[in-house]
Amino acid sequence: MKIALVKGDGIGPDIVNEAVKVLDATAAKYNFEVTYEEAIAGGCAIDKFGEPLPQKSLDICKASDSVILGAVGGPKWDNVESNLRPEKALLGLRSGMNLFCNLRPAIMYPQLKGACPLKDEIVANGLDIMVVRELTGGIYFGKRGRDDNSAYDTLEYSIPEIERIVKKSFEIAMVRDKKLTSVDKANILNSSQLWRSVVERMAKDYPEVTVNHLYVDNAAMQLVRDPNQFDTIVTTNMFGDILSDEASQITGSIGMLPSASLGKGTLGMYEPIHGSAPDIAGMDLANPIATVLSVAMMLRYSFKMEKEAKAIENAVGKVLDDGFRTGDIFEEGMKKVGTKEMGDLIAAAI
Ligand code: NAD
């Protein structure tokens, strides 16, 4: 497999290097071959080429089988004009590769239960939710405008846009607990009424999947009241942005959570949900686990290598069971390790 590496800024290089270490160990164990090509994007690309996503970097990613991304951004580029912000690289990569489906698992690791902000009885059985967020449409991409006195943004979805994300979410629900919650605001928004009707029509093709609909305000409340009622959630770009952050926070382990952005084919982009953590960049302090678990998602969703994906997830579980922790998830009585040692331990566990 030909993998593009977008290391990015801040801790990006630190964590991607460990993800590569673990992928190499997995390739050696399961006998497949990986080659890598680096693509420069984010603040470092602004410094070097004057733009956050040079065409050459996008071309490298498009020509790859899949992309692993660290994180982009940092205070150094906070005051540059909006078209030149490092985050533009993310939007450019997603739209340039037509990645319309964002998968954000919210998993509570039993070893890190203490970090969950919810009461013990609410999460007694752990937590495993998959948020499927539409990524290239909706209000973030609609027509917008502003004058001295007012501003507007437009929320529009076409039927094909809804169909392709809903289809993905049914496919994902089928390999999980066969329970899909569609989140909208159909009591108010026209686009939500269309969304709901598409979900209902497509549900007939997946009779094994139990489908329910929730308004977004109720969904936000239910996520903290009784998160275990959810298995797979599908929703629009903006609702998904908000709900996936909420869902990840209730696991208490934001440094542990991976994500995937998928398109129609196998090409996907895999990255941790956290940012570039400039405060700890290059200090061997970053937790590489979210990026390592992103590699597991890559093997599962882009390459259909379930056994190899599971091997990485189990290796992470074993290292946590053995009591090793980076600073962000450290508790009394555990063994504190740095970024590189955490990568070494996971690779060895493979
Ligand atoms: P952040 O996630 O980078 O950091 C928040 C806090 O969590 C910091 O204290 C940081 O040290 C800690 N942290 C984050 N990841 C960690 C890890 N793997 N191990 C240990 N500690 C970790 O969020 P922020 O501070 O709001 O943003 C910093 C920069 O990252 C900003 O420029 C922002 O725009 C950018 N950002 C990028 C992405 C992305 O590339 N996908 C996402 C979010 C933020």
Side-chain angles (χ1 to χ4, degrees), residues 8-11 15 69-78 85-87 90 94 254-256 259 271-281 285-291 326-329 339:
D9 308 311
I11 59 170
I15 54 181
L69 182 132
V72 298
K76 186 175 173 192
W77 305 280
D78 274 351
R85 288 186 63 93
E87 295 78 7
L90 293 178
R94 286 171 185 162
I254 197 151
M256 302 280 299
S259 76
E271 59 185 302
I273 66 164
H274 58 71
S276 62
D279 49 327
I280 55 167
L285 289 175
N287 184 352
I289 293 180
T291 320
T326 44
D328 57 311
I329 52 173
T339 311

Side-chain angles (χ1 to χ4, degrees), residues 118-163:
L118 300 183
K119 284 185 187 149
D120 271 0
E121 61 260 34
I122 297 180
V123 288
N125 300 322
L127 204 60
D128 183 354
I129 302 170
M130 179 68 85
V131 180
V132 182
R133 166 189 168 196
E134 200 287 324
L135 202 56
T136 52
I139 195 160
Y140 293 172
F141 290 88
K143 201 169 160 225
R144 65 192 61 194
R146 183 171 175 170
D147 61 27
D148 288 347
N149 194 40
S150 67
Y152 68 94
D153 300 278
T154 318
L155 168 51
E156 183 176 0
Y157 272 111
S158 68
I159 289 175
E161 273 177 326
I162 303 171
E163 282 174 343

Side-chain angles (χ1 to χ4, degrees), residues 150-186:
S150 67
Y152 68 94
D153 300 278
T154 318
L155 168 51
E156 183 176 0
Y157 272 111
S158 68
I159 289 175
E161 273 177 326
I162 303 171
E163 282 174 343
R164 63 183 186 177
I165 187 77
V166 170
K167 181 168 188 284
K168 281 264 185 205
S169 67
F170 271 110
E171 286 166 5
I172 286 155
M174 281 296 288
V175 297
R176 291 175 52 90
D177 278 352
K178 300 192 170 63
K179 206 172 140 199
L180 181 66
T181 303
S182 173
V183 174
D184 60 37
K185 191 71 182 169

Side-chain angles (χ1 to χ4, degrees), residues 43-61:
C44 55
I46 297 174
D47 288 351
K48 214 168 168 182
F49 303 107
E51 53 179 330
L53 182 62
Q55 184 62 42
K56 180 161 184 248
S57 299
L58 179 59
D59 290 343
I60 291 172
C61 293

